[in-house]
């Protein structure tokens, strides 16, 4: 049995199919974790969702900002942008089944493998959170996504404020901070104030900001974290950090990591992708 993490697919189903073939994936033997942004910008979002559904528990996903954007568009909470390619889902004959499956998926996953602990999110984890905090906060949003409150939540989900975590946050403000951290975060201040204007690489951090994973004293620094979301960051492989968004939809690669008997034993695998969108 092999365990894999795969970065942002973003509707590029043919690339996902080729990567699964390259790694000799077997649904009866292996487990794949997709790190969010299953849909949008690429040409075949509905096919990606159908593939994940068909493969059952052997493919375990988590939600990214584009996946939440699809749910928001489906409920009239957000108008599609000119770059969006969501009609393949929104106009699909099995639209309701696809959306119902998507809203059941988590925002974070945690895996014990060998003697190590792996925390998986789409974008980031606030410096003040432990791994337990991240999972608990994700669970708060997941409960709303699966509830009758979903439409109201999606209409209130967007916005950059509050821009920092406080244990005393309640209601929509609390849920918005959790969503923004787990699905949008790249840079923040040393005090944990989130920034959503900058999409540069980690080496080009704006003045006064750091990549979330480089904030001194981050409470998850001893937990292996796997994430996507940051295509300008590209492939990152540190002892306790794995960045797996390598720009598939922009004509880069779709990347996977295969773990050995421990989380420290890793093999990087990728397939080159046809460009579906032009950056900028």
């Amino acid at each position: 049995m092999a365990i894999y993490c795969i970065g942002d697919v973003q509707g590029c189903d043919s690339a996902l199919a080729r990567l699964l073939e390259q790694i000799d994936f077997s649904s009866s033997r292996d487990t794949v974790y997709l790190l969010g942004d299953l849909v949008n910008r690429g040409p075949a979002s509905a096919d990606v969702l159908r593939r994940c559904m068909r493969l059952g528990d052997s493919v375990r996903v988590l939600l990214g900002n584009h996946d939440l954007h699809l749910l928001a568009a489906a409920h009239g909470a957000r108008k599609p942008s000119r770059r969006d390619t969501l009609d393949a889902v929104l106009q699909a004959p099995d639209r309701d089944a696809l959306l119902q499956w998507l809203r059941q998926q988590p925002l974070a996953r945690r895996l014990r493998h060998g003697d190590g602990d792996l925390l998986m999110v789409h974008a980031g984890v606030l410096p003040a959170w432990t791994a337990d905090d991240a999972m608990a906060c994700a669970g708060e949003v997941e409960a709303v996504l699966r509830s009758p409150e979903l439409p109201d939540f999606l209409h209130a989900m967007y916005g950059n404020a509050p821009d920092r975590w406080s244990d005393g946050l309640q209601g929509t403000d609390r849920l918005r901070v959790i969503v923004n951290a787990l699905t949008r975060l790249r840079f923040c201040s040393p005090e944990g104030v989130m920034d959503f204007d900058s999409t540069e690489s980690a080496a080009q951090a704006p003045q006064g900001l750091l990549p979330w994973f480089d904030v001194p004293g981050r409470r998850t620094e001893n937990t292996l974290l796997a994430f996507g979301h940051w295509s300008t960051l590209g492939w990152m492989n540190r002892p306790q950090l794995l960045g797996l968004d390598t720009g598939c939809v922009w004509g880069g690669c779709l990347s996977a990591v295969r773990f050995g008997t421990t989380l420290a034993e890793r093999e990087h695998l990728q397939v080159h992708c046809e460009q579906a969108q032009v950056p900028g």
Side-chain angles (χ1 to χ4, degrees):
M1 181 188 79
I3 295 173
Y4 301 87
C5 284
I6 295 178
D8 302 34
V9 177
Q10 291 204 244
C12 298
D13 185 62
S14 63
L16 178 58
R18 287 188 287 111
L19 182 57
L20 292 176
E21 181 179 5
Q22 177 174 307
I23 66 178
D24 192 28
F25 171 73
S26 167
S27 60
S28 63
R29 180 191 65 216
D30 304 325
T31 304
V32 164
Y33 292 88
L34 299 181
L35 300 179
D37 278 4
L38 310 176
V39 304
N40 207 15
R41 304 281 172 84
S45 292
D47 290 338
V48 172
L49 297 181
R50 292 182 188 117
R51 182 183 298 277
C52 294
M53 293 171 66
R54 185 171 65 250
L55 290 171
D57 196 47
S58 64
V59 172
R60 304 176 187 182
V61 313
L62 52 84
L63 298 177
N65 53 303
H66 284 282
D67 308 311
L68 293 175
H69 179 56
L70 169 57
L71 291 174
H75 285 83
R78 197 73 168 180
K79 292 182 178 179
S81 75
R82 64 181 181 85
R83 285 184 177 271
D84 286 348
T85 59
L86 298 174
D87 284 350
V89 178
L90 297 175
Q91 298 177 13
D94 54 347
R95 162 193 163 123
D96 290 348
L98 298 175
L99 295 174
Q100 177 63 20
W101 177 85
L102 192 64
R103 68 185 287 193
Q104 303 300 318
Q105 305 311 311
L107 272 75
R109 288 185 181 270
R110 197 173 183 182
L111 172 69
R112 188 76 182 175
H113 180 65
D115 58 354
D117 193 20
L118 171 63
L119 177 63
M120 293 167 274
V121 299
H122 176 62
V125 175
L126 286 168
W129 287 352
T130 65
D132 287 341
D133 292 333
M135 292 300 297
C137 288
E140 294 180 36
V141 178
E142 291 157 16
V144 176
L145 293 177
R146 298 163 188 170
S147 77
E149 301 172 28
L150 174 65
D152 290 342
F153 167 68
L154 293 172
H155 278 83
M157 179 178 67
Y158 288 91
N160 295 339
D163 60 6
R164 70 200 72 187
W165 176 252
S166 166
D167 290 336
L169 285 170
Q170 297 181 355
T172 299
D173 282 349
R174 182 180 178 93
L175 296 176
R176 188 184 299 121
V177 170
I178 294 169
V179 166
N180 284 344
L182 294 174
T183 71
R184 297 181 60 205
L185 181 61
R186 293 186 180 93
F187 293 105
C188 63
S189 74
E191 296 75 33
V193 178
M194 295 182 286
D195 170 82
F196 301 110
D197 295 326
S198 304
T199 61
E200 295 89 348
S201 69
Q204 298 172 302
Q207 186 173 3
L209 299 177
L210 295 165
W212 63 266
F213 46 78
D214 283 338
V215 172
R218 174 172 59 89
R219 297 182 71 193
T220 50
E221 63 183 357
N222 293 319
T223 300
L224 175 60
L225 268 158
F227 65 99
H229 183 60
W230 201 341
S231 62
T232 53
L233 182 68
W235 166 249
M236 173 176 282
N237 185 7
R238 297 182 185 175
Q240 298 290 65
L241 205 68
L242 282 169
L244 285 167
D245 182 4
T246 48
C248 172
V249 74
W250 310 114
C253 295
L254 183 61
S255 289
V257 61
R258 176 163 52 206
F259 296 104
T261 56
T262 70
L263 293 173
E265 297 175 22
R266 307 169 195 169
E267 180 182 4
H268 179 211
L269 308 113
Q270 61 183 194
V271 294
H272 292 278
C273 307
E274 294 182 6
Q275 187 176 52
Q277 295 260 351
V278 178

